[in-house]
Amino acid sequence: MVSLNNSIQQEKKVAVACRGIIRDFGAGQAVTRVLHGIDLEVFVGEITFLVGPSGCGKTTLISIIAGLLNPTSGSIHLFGEEIGAMRSSRLVDFRSKNIGFIFQQFNLLPSLTAAENAAVPLIGQGVSFRKAVAEAVATLEQLEMGKHAKKYPNQLSGGQQQRVAVARSLVHHPRLIICDEPTASLDATTGQAVMEMLKKLASSIDRAIIVVTHDNRIFSFADRIAHIADGKIREIERPSNSDSLRITPTEF
C-alpha cells in the first residue's frame, strides 16, 4: 500500500482502497499479466487522475474498481465494502446506486431528449419515467442546462452533450464518479469548463472522482495523480497547485 502523509490520511475519508490488485488475461502459457499488484487509495472530496501510456492498465483498473471485472487476486473496497465479496445481484444494486460513469464519447441515445438521457440511471433503478425525468431536469438545471432539457443530442454542442452526460452520471447521487477521457473530444475552453464543474462537485459533495486521461491540459485540476506504467503505479503526486506530496515506488 502506498504510504501517505499521516495528517492527510487523518483528514480524508477513503472512498476506494485497492490492495494488491493483480489481473491476468488468458490461460496456461498464454497468460498475460496486465496489472502487477496495484495498491491505491482514492479519497472522498478529491479528484484522482490515472495517467499513463495506452495499454498500461488504466482501463482494466477502473473496470475492476467499478465491479465490472474481477481481479485475479487482491481486494477492492468501495466506501468500506469489499465488492469482491458481494453476490452478483448485490453488486449490481450497489454499483447502480453508488457509481456514475462519464465517457469520452458521451454515449447519449439520439432518440431521447437531454432530460430523458439524463434520467436513464433512475429508470434502470425502477423509478417511474415521470419522476426520473423530473429529477433529471433538476440535475440539468444545476449544470446550467435546464433550458436545453427538451433538446435532442444532435441539437446540442459538444460541451452541452458532455454536460448531459455529467447529469446522467449524477442523477442517482453516486458517491463515486469514474470519468474515462472526459475532455478528449472537447476543445480547450469546453474541457476546462467541464473540469471546473467536476472540481466543484468533488469538493462540495461527499463523493470522490476518478479521471482517466491523457490530456495534460487538465492536470492542474487533480488533487492526486497516479502515474501508471506496465501495470504498476510508478508514482503518486500532487500537481503544483496542491499541497506538496510525491510518493515513489521506494515508499510502497
Side-chain angles (χ1 to χ4, degrees):
M1 167 105 29
V2 176
S3 176
L4 301 180
N5 180 279
N6 286 337
S7 63
I8 294 173
Q9 285 182 315
Q10 291 171 2
E11 294 171 0
K12 296 292 184 179
K13 177 182 176 182
V14 176
V16 179
C18 299
R19 291 174 169 80
I21 298 296
I22 291 173
R23 175 64 196 193
D24 297 334
F25 289 95
Q29 295 183 345
V31 168
T32 299
R33 180 153 294 179
V34 175
L35 298 180
H36 299 258
I38 294 287
D39 289 324
L40 177 68
E41 289 182 331
V42 174
F43 293 88
V44 167
E46 291 191 352
I47 299 181
T48 299
F49 278 24
L50 303 180
V51 304
S54 297
C56 71
K58 301 187 301 296
T59 298
T60 299
L61 179 56
I62 61 171
S63 296
I64 290 173
I65 290 173
L68 299 172
L69 189 65
N70 293 322
T72 302
S73 64
S75 65
I76 170 73
H77 289 75
L78 266 59
F79 303 99
E81 297 196 50
E82 185 177 0
I83 62 175
M86 296 179 184
R87 294 188 176 185
S88 179
S89 59
R90 164 68 175 136
L91 177 58
V92 170
D93 182 64
F94 180 87
R95 187 169 58 229
S96 68
K97 292 178 179 177
N98 291 281
I99 302 176
F101 294 91
I102 301 174
F103 303 99
Q104 175 182 347
Q105 300 300 329
F106 314 146
N107 292 335
L108 301 181
L109 299 174
S111 61
L112 300 183
T113 65
E116 291 165 348
N117 266 286
V120 166
L122 290 177
I123 295 171
Q125 291 181 14
V127 177
S128 70
F129 181 81
R130 178 177 294 183
K131 184 176 180 180
V133 170
E135 183 67 24
V137 171
T139 304
L140 287 167
E141 287 174 348
Q142 293 174 8
L143 301 174
E144 300 179 352
M145 283 289 294
K147 65 182 180 182
H148 302 293
K150 294 183 178 181
K151 291 183 180 179
Y152 291 90
N154 64 3
Q155 297 174 310
L156 302 172
S157 69
Q160 289 170 338
Q161 290 184 53
Q162 185 63 295
R163 286 177 181 263
V164 175
V166 172
R168 182 183 58 197
S169 76
L170 296 175
V171 72
H172 57 301
H173 305 292
R175 290 187 286 174
L176 175 65
I177 300 174
I178 299 175
C179 311
D180 190 5
E181 300 284 359
T183 62
S185 301
L186 304 176
D187 60 65
T189 299
T190 305
Q192 291 282 310
V194 167
M195 289 310 303
E196 286 171 2
M197 178 173 52
L198 290 175
K199 187 74 171 180
K200 182 177 180 181
L201 289 168
S203 61
S204 64
I205 304 176
D206 186 26
R207 62 163 51 100
I209 297 177
I210 297 173
V211 175
V212 173
T213 186
H214 290 94
D215 189 353
N216 59 14
R217 300 173 301 175
I218 63 172
F219 280 13
S220 62
F221 288 95
D223 293 290
R224 286 177 173 80
I225 301 176
H227 295 267
I228 303 177
D230 300 321
K232 299 178 181 179
I233 294 181
R234 301 296 184 179
E235 179 182 71
I236 297 176
E237 65 171 331
R238 283 185 180 275
S240 58
N241 66 324
S242 301
D243 296 335
S244 178
L245 170 66
R246 184 175 290 266
I247 300 164
T248 64
T250 59
E251 296 175 272
F252 277 36

